[in-house]
Amino acid sequence: QGFGWTDTSPGWAALLSRDYSRRADVLNRGFSGYNTRMALDLLPNIVGSSSTGQQQTNILFATVFFGANDAALPGELQHIPPDEYSNNLISIVEHMKNSTLQVSVGDDNSKDVESCSSDDGDLPIILFTPPPVDADA
């Protein structure tokens, strides 16, 4: 299932929103059809950097979900070669780690949060990627 809500079942972002109700906001910044190359161009506008002066605070964790579009067949607009895909993911994570995101630290029941800069490398980033493909199969 995807990010939102269907007639029969919620997507994972909706489930997170339900489970973190009154403790955290779940912000979904999905861009349908985008690959990692396109995301690198948009990333500074989505995740503030120290050079832009934007600051986003109290982040519990971030998720990055790319790969299905990158895995399009060669010749397709969205196709990204595997080596470039890997390098793009590294660049995305490094940008987020070096951004002005502020990380919230506290237990699930705490109303108080302690913030620490992502410059300290404390920002939990969860990567969602497609499973490996055996092209010879």
Side-chain angles (χ1 to χ4, degrees):
Q1 253 318 281
F3 301 95
W5 192 275
T6 68
D7 291 337
T8 58
S9 65
W12 69 271
L15 292 172
L16 280 175
S17 184
R18 180 197 67 198
D19 291 347
Y20 280 92
S21 178
R22 295 187 204 98
R23 292 181 291 170
D25 293 328
V26 175
L27 304 175
N28 181 18
R29 297 292 182 257
F31 291 88
S32 179
Y34 278 58
N35 61 28
T36 53
R37 186 184 300 149
M38 296 169 183
L40 283 173
D41 291 336
L42 281 178
L43 198 56
N45 297 321
I46 299 168
V47 177
S49 66
S50 54
S51 63
T52 63
Q54 296 172 323
Q55 186 170 13
Q56 296 163 331
T57 60
N58 299 331
I59 307 294
L60 296 173
F61 60 88
T63 60
V64 176
F65 193 161
F66 281 105
N69 293 326
D70 298 72
L73 294 173
E76 297 293 328
L77 176 66
Q78 295 168 316
H79 173 74
I80 301 293
D83 289 344
E84 182 182 350
Y85 169 71
S86 176
N87 291 332
N88 289 348
L89 279 181
I90 290 168
S91 295
I92 289 168
V93 169
E94 285 176 353
H95 177 86
M96 294 177 77
K97 290 280 188 185
N98 295 322
S99 71
T100 57
L101 295 174
Q102 298 294 308
V103 182
S104 292
V105 179
D107 62 40
D108 287 341
N109 298 319
S110 175
K111 295 287 185 198
D112 299 321
V113 292
E114 173 188 334
S115 292
C116 57
S117 172
S118 61
D119 294 339
D120 300 332
D122 291 337
L123 176 66
I125 298 174
I126 302 166
L127 296 177
F128 292 95
T129 60
V133 175
D134 183 355
D136 296 331

